[in-house]
Each structure stands twice: as structure tokens, then as C-alpha cells.
Amino acid sequence: MRHPGLLAFVLLWALSAPAAAQSFSSWSAKAQKAEKAGDAEAARQAWSNAIRLWKPADGKKGKAKAFAARAGLKEKAGEADAAVKDLSEAVALDPKDSRLIHRRGRLYLDLGRAKPAITDFYAATALDLTFSEAFFDRGRAYELQGDDGFAREDFKQACGLKLKKACDKVRPAKKALPKKKPAPKAAPTEEPVEAPPAAESPAAAAAPEPESDEDEEDSKTPVDATACVSGLEACAEAALESFTVCVAKVKPCEELPKKGCCPRECLQRFTKGVGEKSEAQVFREVFSLKSDCFR
């Protein structure tokens, strides 16, 4: 038979125990302590308890950090899909944290899922235009899809933000030039005496020179969508130039109708679109061979 006094003492102790012993902040502290001690399993359980006991007063960012921390432990344990779910919870709680979005994009990329990875990298760069790692990883995702042109564009963007590994991607490796052997000295020969120029007939002198075929061809060259697009792509490939710089170099066909020119409407659409989307995305949309601005 239980003693009434003992039962009352236990209940009194339970009610008087500090609430902080079982709270979001207390379990978060335990989780961080366990991580420092290298006890991943204890840290993971502590973060789970913290998430379970979270209250609105603890703040959404605090809960997002808890999900992100648990995601890191799951990722180290090889549970990439489970880590993606936790990071998705973190992003939903703190959608303006570019680092969280970038982390999820990297996990997608590790899983071979290029499309959602690219979406996350676009979101991360939109929040932080100086996020060089996000531009670089978006280039890696485009490489996975086989879009080498767009990958190079992102690598150039990251290189411009001083990310060395991105510069290594776009700068061709320098090849050592073979040493030139000195040419053998030729024996001196007598210089031939030049014959005097033949006298030009009066009729030939009076006849005007025919216009070159090149000038005639340039004046009659219609808009060639393939030449326009390939010229811009060649410009971007030849040097560390952005599509914007290359488009600015092209003369509209209305002003200079020659091979490689582009319609004014296409050039204007690109310039206007870059302010709203990335260069690579706008280039793909405007300078498609099926684009109506070539008609």
C-alpha cells in the first residue's frame, strides 16, 4: 500500500521542477553539447526532443536551425533523403536563408536530381547575388544535365566573384609550346632582275573596278537565326564574357544586314529580360531558333 505522504511529496516535486529542464532551449543546448562530444546519436535524439517541444515563443528561426542541425547528422549518417526532408522543413520556416536553400540544393545534386537542385540554386542566388558557391554548384548541376553552355556561364559568374575553382573550370589549360629549332642558313643567291610592268591599256585603265562579292553579299544577307545564335555563343566561349557583353557587341540587322547580325527585337528582349531573370535563362528563351523574334 502506497503511503499518502510519499505520493504527495512526489507530485509536489514534479510540479515544482523547473520547466526549462524539458524545453526547446534545454534540449537544444544538450544537442549542441552532444555534438561537441562527438555523440551523434545523442545529439540527434536531443534535436528531435527540441523540435517536439518547440513553441511559437521559441521563434521559427530557432526551429529551422534545429531541423538543419538534425539534417546535418542524417547526411553524415548517409541518410540523404531524410536530410532533404529536414532541410525542407527548415526552408519552410526560414525561406529567406540562402544558405539553407543552397544546402538542400547540394543534397539534391548529390542524389543526382539536377532539376530541383538548379531551382534551389536559382533561389539562393536571387537572395544573394554574391553567393559564388551557389553559382558554381548551379554550373555543376547544368553539367549533369548536359547543358555545357549554361554551366560555363555560371562558372564564369562564380569566377567573377573570385571563386578560384570556378575560374579553373573556364580557363583553358596552358599548353607548353615546343621550342623552335633555328632554321638552317640558306646559301646566298643572286636576286633576279624584275621585269618592267606591262603598260596598262587605256581601256583597262578607264574601266571601273567591279564591286567585291563580299560587299554585295552583305547588303543582301537576310536574318540568319543560326548565324546570330552561334555568333553569340562563340563570343561567350572565346573569352570570359557574359551574354550581356556579347549581345551589346552585336549590331542589329536593321542597321547592318550582314552574316551574324541579330534582329533588333531579339536584342531588346534579351536586355529587358536580364533585369528579371538570369542571363543564361533569358538567353535560352530569346535566342532559341524557334523564337518569334527571328520571324
Side-chain angles (χ1 to χ4, degrees):
M1 181 176 180
R2 294 179 179 178
H3 195 281
L6 179 62
L7 181 59
F9 173 77
V10 172
L11 288 172
L12 181 62
W13 176 83
L15 291 172
S16 62
Q22 294 292 327
S23 66
F24 173 80
S25 58
S26 67
W27 278 110
S28 294
K30 289 178 182 179
Q32 292 173 34
K33 187 176 180 180
E35 284 195 59
K36 287 181 180 179
D39 192 342
E41 187 57 39
R44 182 166 169 172
Q45 185 58 51
W47 283 123
S48 296
N49 289 338
I51 292 168
R52 178 173 53 82
L53 294 170
W54 177 87
K55 296 178 180 179
D58 295 313
K60 288 185 178 181
K61 287 190 176 182
K63 191 176 184 180
K65 288 180 180 178
F67 271 116
R70 193 174 70 174
L73 294 169
K74 289 180 178 181
E75 183 181 1
K76 288 179 182 177
E79 303 172 34
D81 286 314
V84 166
K85 289 182 180 179
D86 271 359
L87 281 177
S88 295
E89 293 285 354
V91 169
L93 289 161
D94 194 0
K96 292 187 178 181
D97 189 328
S98 60
R99 303 287 160 179
L100 284 177
I101 299 171
H102 176 242
R103 275 185 62 189
R104 186 176 66 178
R106 273 193 166 176
L107 275 173
Y108 279 135
L109 192 55
D110 291 342
L111 290 167
R113 299 171 63 185
K115 191 172 181 179
I118 289 172
T119 300
D120 273 354
F121 296 143
Y122 265 113
T125 55
L127 289 167
D128 183 358
L129 295 175
T130 65
F131 202 162
S132 58
E133 286 286 350
F135 281 110
F136 179 78
D137 286 330
R138 195 170 72 193
R140 291 172 55 218
Y142 274 129
E143 275 188 328
L144 185 61
Q145 283 191 331
D147 291 333
D148 293 336
F150 295 102
R152 183 178 175 81
E153 184 69 16
D154 278 333
F155 291 144
K156 286 192 292 185
Q157 187 76 19
C159 178
L161 294 169
K162 311 301 181 185
L163 189 64
K164 184 180 181 302
K165 60 184 177 181
C167 298
D168 294 338
K169 280 276 194 179
V170 292
R171 287 175 183 159
K174 293 182 179 180
K175 296 181 180 179
L177 297 174
K179 294 183 179 179
K180 292 183 179 180
K181 295 181 179 179
K185 294 182 179 179
T189 56
E190 294 184 2
E191 294 184 3
V193 179
E194 293 185 3
E200 189 175 3
S201 66
E209 292 185 4
E211 294 184 2
S212 66
D213 293 338
E214 184 179 354
D215 293 339
E216 183 178 352
E217 181 183 352
D218 285 348
S219 64
K220 296 181 179 180
T221 301
V223 175
D224 186 338
T226 302
C228 166
V229 175
S230 60
L232 290 171
E233 290 176 342
C235 169
E237 287 290 331
L240 301 181
E241 298 284 13
S242 65
F243 284 123
T244 298
V245 173
C246 292
V247 167
K249 291 180 179 179
V250 177
K251 288 286 186 182
C253 295
E254 291 82 352
E255 293 180 13
L256 188 63
K258 62 182 295 182
K259 188 172 183 180
C261 68
C262 298
R264 190 191 306 278
E265 185 180 350
C266 294
L267 301 176
Q268 290 176 341
R269 280 192 195 180
F270 175 84
T271 303
K272 182 180 179 182
V274 167
E276 302 168 358
K277 303 176 183 177
S278 72
E279 288 188 354
Q281 186 177 0
V282 178
F283 184 85
R284 172 182 280 178
E285 293 172 358
V286 175
F287 292 101
S288 164
L289 297 180
K290 296 180 180 180
S291 175
D292 60 1
C293 69
F294 285 114
R295 297 172 189 170

